[in-house]
Amino acid sequence: MVEVTVTPRSSLADRPVRVQARGLSPSQRVTLRAWLRDEHGERFQARAFFRADATGEVDPGYHPALGGSYSGLCPMGLLWFLQPDTPFRRLLKRDVTGSPFLIHVEVFDGILLVDGPQDRPLAACEAERWFVAPGVQRVPIREGRVRGALFLPP
């Protein structure tokens, strides 16, 4: 049974995570895709193509991507190379304290260049990327022409 995981499932946005796909056939070519929707509903995605190792596992931290949104060894590549479906959009998080980005990670059989309605992932999972740790207090700053926010630890 094919399985894809993100460890830890919930983390701060500046912390590394580990993406792994298991249960594949040895030397199977697969596509790993990560995607999310921002607060305006715009979709951002990245994909990378891999060849499973002898045990049927793919780990972007140990196996180089053969192409896609990036190539080579890049453990966080699926998150760092997210691109908008609509050109010239920027990935911004406005509500940093209220909700996380929900990252969807999927593994597909073969090389998936474009999305189609017939494409079904072999496995999928979801991870949370938070921008503020629990207990952090956000204090708005308005002093003269200065605008900003002060984040105070618990």
Side-chain angles (χ1 to χ4, degrees):
M1 181 172 170
V2 178
E3 174 187 33
V4 64
T5 59
V6 177
T7 310
R9 196 183 86 61
S10 182
S11 64
L12 289 173
D14 63 344
R15 301 286 187 228
V17 294
R18 184 174 186 186
V19 177
Q20 291 178 290
R22 294 185 202 90
L24 303 164
S25 300
S27 298
Q28 180 179 356
R29 290 178 189 244
V30 295
T31 300
L32 284 178
R33 179 176 70 179
W35 63 274
L36 64 84
R37 291 203 184 273
D38 69 4
E39 294 160 326
H40 298 291
E42 184 67 39
R43 188 171 82 150
F44 291 76
Q45 65 175 318
R47 69 184 73 223
F49 315 129
F50 295 91
R51 182 186 304 266
D53 64 13
T55 64
E57 197 170 299
V58 168
D59 185 333
Y62 296 100
H63 304 105
L66 306 174
S69 301
Y70 69 96
S71 61
L73 195 61
C74 189
M76 295 285 293
L78 288 172
L79 302 181
W80 289 345
F81 290 94
L82 290 167
Q83 294 294 316
D85 285 353
T86 305
F88 308 113
R89 301 286 186 186
R90 291 182 51 201
L91 182 59
L92 296 173
K93 183 72 170 139
R94 298 209 184 273
D95 179 16
V96 295
T97 59
S99 64
F101 271 143
L102 296 177
I103 310 286
H104 303 269
V105 180
E106 303 164 326
V107 59
F108 294 89
D109 184 31
I111 306 299
L112 182 69
L113 297 173
V114 294
D115 300 336
Q118 75 283 0
D119 297 318
R120 299 279 184 249
L122 299 173
C125 73
E126 190 176 273
E128 297 176 345
R129 299 289 280 174
W130 290 89
F131 286 80
V132 177
V136 170
Q137 181 184 3
R138 181 181 188 272
V139 179
I141 304 295
R142 295 189 74 151
E143 189 67 36
R145 293 175 42 194
V146 175
R147 302 290 182 264
L150 173 64
F151 291 89
L152 298 171

